[in-house]
Amino acid sequence: MHEPVTSFAVHMEAIAEELLGAPNVRLSSDGDRRYGKHGSLSIDVQTGRYYDHETKTGGGVLDLISRETGRDHKSAMQWMREHGYLEQRERQASKPQQLGKEVAHYSYTDENGELLFQVVRFEPKTFRQRRRPQPDDPPDKIKHGWVYAVRGITHVPYRLPELMEAIANGHTVFVVEGEKDADNCAKQGIVATTNPGGVGKWSDHLTSFFRDADVVIIQDNDPQAKNPDPPNGDGALRWHPDGRPVLPGQDHAQEVAKALSGTAAKVRVLDLARHWPHMPPKGDVSDWIKAGGTLNALHAFADAAPDWSRTPFRSRFGGMRWEEIAVLGHSSGYSWLIEDIVPLDEITLIFGDSGSGKSFGTFDMSMAVARGLTFIGRNTEPGLVVYVAAEAGKGFSKRKLAYVIQHELQYDAAVPFYLCTKRPDFFSSDDDVNALIAEIEAIAKTYPHRLVLIVIDTLSALAPGMNENASQDVSIVRKRLVALQQRFGSAVILVHHKPKGGSTPRGHGSLTADFETTIEFEVVADRRTSKGGSIHRATVRKQREGKSGIRWEFTLPIISVGRNIWGNEETSCAAVPYDASESHERSGYQATSNERLLMHALYEALAEYGVPPPFPLPASISKVVDFNYVRMRMREKVVDADENQEAADNRFRGAFKRAGDRLRDAGIIGIQKPYWWATGKPVAGMGG
């Protein structure tokens, strides 16, 4: 890759077709031509670069010609001339170029202040470089006393005399992205420089001027780059071959740091967005100064920035040297978000019936992480939590209020927890997953905490139109979940449903097979609290590190969180740990499984639809309920929506009558049509 990125880019598409034939139309897009059965060879027609994903090699136009013809670069140039490409390029270059209005110019001088060349800005926004004429310049190249070509002129850093003086005196110097930024810094007393040409144009020659310097590189806050919009491109977000998003300003800062490392005495990269949460997209140090930034503040930020170091090699396949495997004291293959339960850098699947408490339980786990608390006595890795409430985003405010009330927190307490209330679509295309990644990247910069957990609640809301029983559909969504997880290296929790009466997640078996960890949430069928409330249980069903079987129980007490606009009470729930040893369960009537189900249904109906006993029932009965509500609740527990409803109803009617008659005869329930109530007589395993 010896040629400038844009030198022959306009010819790349035509040359690729001449050398390789027609592209793979099915796998190609407007900006990306794909070749080969699997599209492994990619041609970026905008930048004029190719990349072979099989051999992990790439380059520009000359590199592609060399690869396909066996020629060296000089001979590849001759090939282009023979095929008419250089003649076409030279004709295009000879056309007079129309420049806009000159709005600024920036002089680059040598160490003595002698002018070498200028960078000129025109409107519409474009930049050109120019120098003073030399005796042997053809007259037709001189325009208004300048030659707009600087080939052969030594490139130097901008504001070189001030830069050299600051380095000689041991002062910190700053590298910014443009001349305007360097000048604005100088007005504040900040010694700053830049390179001619802008992003991606740092040359090795510039590095030599920074020997033994203390350098801070200020990166621009650029959003992810995109291909040109139609009709010149597909407008898609751009990614590096290793999966990282293309962020021009941030990438440029890293490239400059890499170039200066080993020459400068100290190199740091400063991300102003971490200190200025309101930094706008495409914001730079000039914007920061305009907003009130000062010399002292900038040096304080620089002092806090860590020394830059080269990114160590990272295996794409989790490779480790022998001496790195099972280091003493760190033998586990997992780093844990919640010790022995939820691993970091993996996807965990949480599943359960509707009403099993899986969403409330997941929220409780997430808050333990965000607040840095232990969870069921186990350590957590504290940090930022991003919770995507794809199914119940509008009602999440009540969950927060219930949690705040239960844990006696200040309503506006600062907690590293970020909520997304609109559902992304991970099934139809890559658009929403890319947009979600970009949003999480942006919001993570505003928190000082490391992002450790992303929660997606629930799978069905995340993938409208997906056939959960089709492995191909499941694989599409899982691939996008993996892309989200790998981008941030955090834990991802996916919440999913379970079929009524089932024991595994709803849908294709790969939902269980493809995830490292699965946790099932359920209502405990044979026990209630001493007050008749439901007990919820979570069990680690699968854990590849052998931790399966861990379980915990909790209740979901109803908490009043205020009143609505009509003055009626609003309620929600909060998870509260449940300890059976403290429940003082009593022995009593030995109920069958159907009788216990009916008692659960009765308790639920009383809680939701119960009314004071009407005359002539005794006032000593606390609440009664119409038996039709009990019947409805029990039917929900034993009849699956997918089975034959007529046969199911016939079976249910007999079971319901037998259980009701037996409980009435044993004095466990009272009946006076149409009302039923619980007498308080104890039932074994149900706490009375």
Side-chain angles (χ1 to χ4, degrees):
M1 294 187 285
H2 306 289
E3 63 190 89
V5 172
T6 59
S7 57
F8 305 125
V10 293
H11 304 303
M12 175 57 101
E13 184 175 12
I15 289 174
E17 290 200 20
E18 186 166 345
L19 292 171
L20 304 172
N24 186 323
V25 177
R26 182 175 62 86
L27 299 176
S28 297
S29 65
D30 287 340
D32 183 23
R33 302 291 186 268
R34 293 296 183 125
Y35 288 84
K37 181 177 180 181
H38 302 292
S40 58
L41 182 64
S42 171
I43 302 290
D44 188 329
V45 299
Q46 304 301 323
T47 64
R49 315 295 288 181
Y50 84 89
Y51 188 78
D52 189 329
H53 292 271
E54 289 186 357
T55 63
K56 305 295 186 293
T57 58
V61 172
L62 295 181
D63 298 300
L64 181 64
I65 296 171
S66 297
R67 165 193 162 114
E68 298 301 318
T69 65
R71 302 182 178 216
D72 60 19
H73 271 208
K74 184 176 181 181
S75 298
M77 292 271 292
Q78 182 60 31
W79 183 95
M80 291 184 67
R81 187 170 287 106
E82 292 168 357
H83 289 75
Y85 293 103
L86 287 188
E87 181 182 358
Q88 176 185 354
R89 179 170 178 263
E90 289 161 0
R91 284 200 307 268
Q92 291 173 341
S94 65
K95 294 179 181 179
Q97 292 183 329
Q98 299 299 319
L99 296 175
K101 178 183 178 182
E102 180 180 330
V103 294
H105 62 264
Y106 307 98
S107 296
Y108 282 75
T109 70
D110 64 17
E111 57 269 31
N112 298 315
E114 295 294 326
L115 178 68
L116 296 173
F117 63 94
Q118 286 185 341
V119 171
V120 190
R121 176 173 174 170
F122 298 90
E123 289 294 348
K125 187 177 181 181
T126 186
F127 293 87
R128 292 286 302 276
Q129 296 178 15
R130 67 188 183 189
R131 60 172 172 80
R132 287 299 186 187
Q134 297 174 352
D136 56 349
D137 285 326
D140 62 333
K141 295 291 185 182
I142 303 172
K143 294 180 174 31
H144 306 294
W146 295 95
V147 175
Y148 283 84
V150 294
R151 180 175 296 178
I153 299 296
T154 301
H155 274 198
V156 297
Y158 186 53
R159 304 183 71 95
L160 179 60
E162 298 98 316
L163 174 69
M164 296 182 68
E165 181 181 355
I167 294 174
N169 290 322
H171 297 159
T172 299
V173 296
F174 293 83
V175 176
V176 294
E177 195 173 295
E179 293 88 359
K180 178 193 71 173
D181 294 335
D183 287 348
N184 286 334
C185 285
K187 294 174 184 177
Q188 301 294 316
I190 301 165
V191 178
T193 186
T194 191
N195 61 282
V199 171
K201 299 297 184 181
W202 188 273
S203 67
D204 291 339
H205 175 71
L206 298 177
T207 300
S208 61
F209 290 94
F210 292 85
R211 185 165 303 281
D212 300 326
D214 177 7
V215 183
V216 177
I217 304 157
I218 304 177
Q219 68 180 35
D220 282 7
N221 189 39
D222 288 340
Q224 186 172 357
K226 300 197 311 183
N227 293 330
D229 290 328
N232 299 316
D234 60 2
L237 294 171
R238 295 179 57 196
W239 304 84
H240 290 290
D242 62 1
R244 293 177 296 112
V246 174
L247 304 169
Q250 296 87 325
D251 292 346
H252 177 70
Q254 293 298 318
E255 290 170 6
V256 175
K258 183 178 180 180
L260 294 179
S261 178
T263 298
K266 188 173 186 177
V267 179
R268 290 163 285 174
V269 174
L270 175 58
D271 181 4
L272 279 176
R274 292 193 175 276
H275 304 279
W276 184 25
H278 301 296
M279 189 173 190
K282 297 187 178 182
D284 54 30
V285 68
S286 292
D287 296 313
W288 177 76
I289 291 172
K290 186 176 180 180
T294 64
L295 168 67
N296 290 337
L298 190 65
H299 278 280
F301 297 160
D303 290 343
D307 289 353
W308 183 89
S309 61
R310 293 176 183 271
T311 302
F313 169 79
R314 185 174 68 178
S315 168
R316 294 180 61 189
F317 307 102
M320 291 187 291
R321 300 176 186 274
W322 172 262
E323 61 271 20
E324 296 172 330
I325 303 171
V327 177
L328 185 62
H330 301 280
S331 60
S332 173
Y334 284 144
S335 297
W336 295 103
L337 177 74
I338 301 177
E339 187 179 9
D340 294 339
I341 297 176
V342 178
L344 271 170
D345 206 17
E346 300 289 350
I347 302 176
T348 295
L349 180 69
I350 284 178
F351 66 98
D353 288 327
S354 295
S356 62
K358 57 185 181 293
S359 289
F360 283 104
T362 302
F363 175 47
D364 193 53
M365 295 165 65
S366 303
M367 287 302 296
V369 170
R371 296 176 63 200
L373 306 176
T374 59
F375 180 77
I376 64 166
R378 297 174 185 271
N379 297 312
T380 63
E381 179 69 25
L384 172 62
V385 175
V386 174
Y387 200 111
V388 182
E391 191 169 74
K394 291 184 178 179
F396 209 93
S397 59
K398 293 201 296 185
R399 295 188 187 183
K400 174 191 173 176
L401 287 171
Y403 185 92
V404 165
I405 293 168
Q406 176 65 35
H407 293 270
E408 299 181 345
L409 298 178
Q410 292 292 327
Y411 175 77
D412 57 354
V415 177
F417 184 98
Y418 183 78
L419 176 68
C420 296
T421 59
K422 293 185 178 179
R423 65 181 67 181
D425 181 352
F426 273 38
F427 180 62
S428 301
S429 71
D430 288 332
D431 292 347
D432 275 9
V433 68
N434 290 337
L436 182 61
I437 287 173
E439 176 161 337
I440 293 174
E441 285 176 335
I443 199 63
K445 290 181 179 180
T446 68
Y447 287 89
H449 313 78
R450 173 193 173 195
L451 174 66
V452 294
L453 174 61
I454 301 170
V455 178
I456 308 289
D457 187 1
T458 62
L459 173 62
S460 58
L462 182 76
M466 179 185 72
N467 181 353
E468 293 177 353
N469 293 303
S471 62
Q472 183 176 3
D473 285 11
V474 172
S475 296
I476 289 172
V477 175
R478 187 180 186 281
K479 180 181 178 181
R480 289 169 179 150
L481 285 166
V482 169
L484 176 70
Q485 184 274 317
Q486 290 184 343
R487 172 64 191 90
F488 296 105
S490 63
V492 172
I493 290 179
L494 177 65
V495 182
H496 187 39
H497 296 291
K498 183 177 72 172
K500 188 169 291 185
S503 59
T504 58
R506 191 174 69 193
H508 193 268
S510 60
L511 280 171
T512 301
D514 288 349
F515 293 110
E516 291 280 324
T517 302
T518 63
I519 303 174
E520 180 182 13
F521 278 70
E522 57 190 333
V523 176
V524 178
D526 57 353
R527 289 188 293 124
R528 308 275 299 189
T529 67
S530 59
K531 295 183 179 180
S534 296
I535 301 169
H536 301 261
R537 176 189 295 147
T539 306
V540 180
R541 295 297 183 193
K542 174 187 170 186
Q543 179 65 267
R544 290 185 181 169
E545 285 294 305
K547 304 291 184 180
S548 58
I550 294 174
R551 64 173 52 183
W552 62 97
E553 294 181 342
F554 60 96
T555 60
L556 292 173
I558 296 174
I559 297 174
S560 176
V561 297
R563 296 189 178 277
N564 62 23
I565 59 174
W566 295 283
N568 296 320
E569 185 181 40
E570 292 276 7
T571 63
S572 186
C573 298
V576 175
Y578 178 75
D579 186 348
S581 65
E582 298 176 359
S583 65
H584 307 295
E585 305 287 11
R586 302 194 299 263
S587 61
Y589 175 73
Q590 299 297 314
T592 66
S593 59
N594 273 344
E595 290 164 5
R596 282 197 295 269
L597 283 173
L598 189 147
M599 289 302 297
H600 284 302
L602 175 58
Y603 284 131
E604 292 171 5
L606 284 167
E608 191 166 357
Y609 304 107
V611 296
F615 182 81
L617 291 175
S620 59
I621 301 172
S622 59
K623 276 187 179 182
V624 298
V625 66
D626 189 306
F627 86 98
N628 285 301
Y629 290 120
V630 184
R631 187 180 186 279
M632 176 183 69
R633 282 285 182 248
M634 185 171 175
R635 188 183 186 281
E636 290 173 353
K637 297 178 182 299
V638 299
V639 175
D640 196 290
D642 297 330
E643 62 181 312
N644 183 287
Q645 295 300 294
E646 183 178 355
D649 279 336
N650 289 334
R651 185 185 72 250
F652 169 70
R653 276 194 292 269
F656 181 75
K657 185 177 186 308
R658 286 191 298 272
D661 289 346
R662 283 175 54 86
L663 291 169
R664 178 200 60 201
D665 294 343
I668 305 301
I669 65 174
I671 296 177
Q672 182 168 318
K673 291 184 178 181
Y675 297 110
W676 287 24
W677 63 92
T679 65
K681 185 175 179 179
V683 176
M686 295 194 66

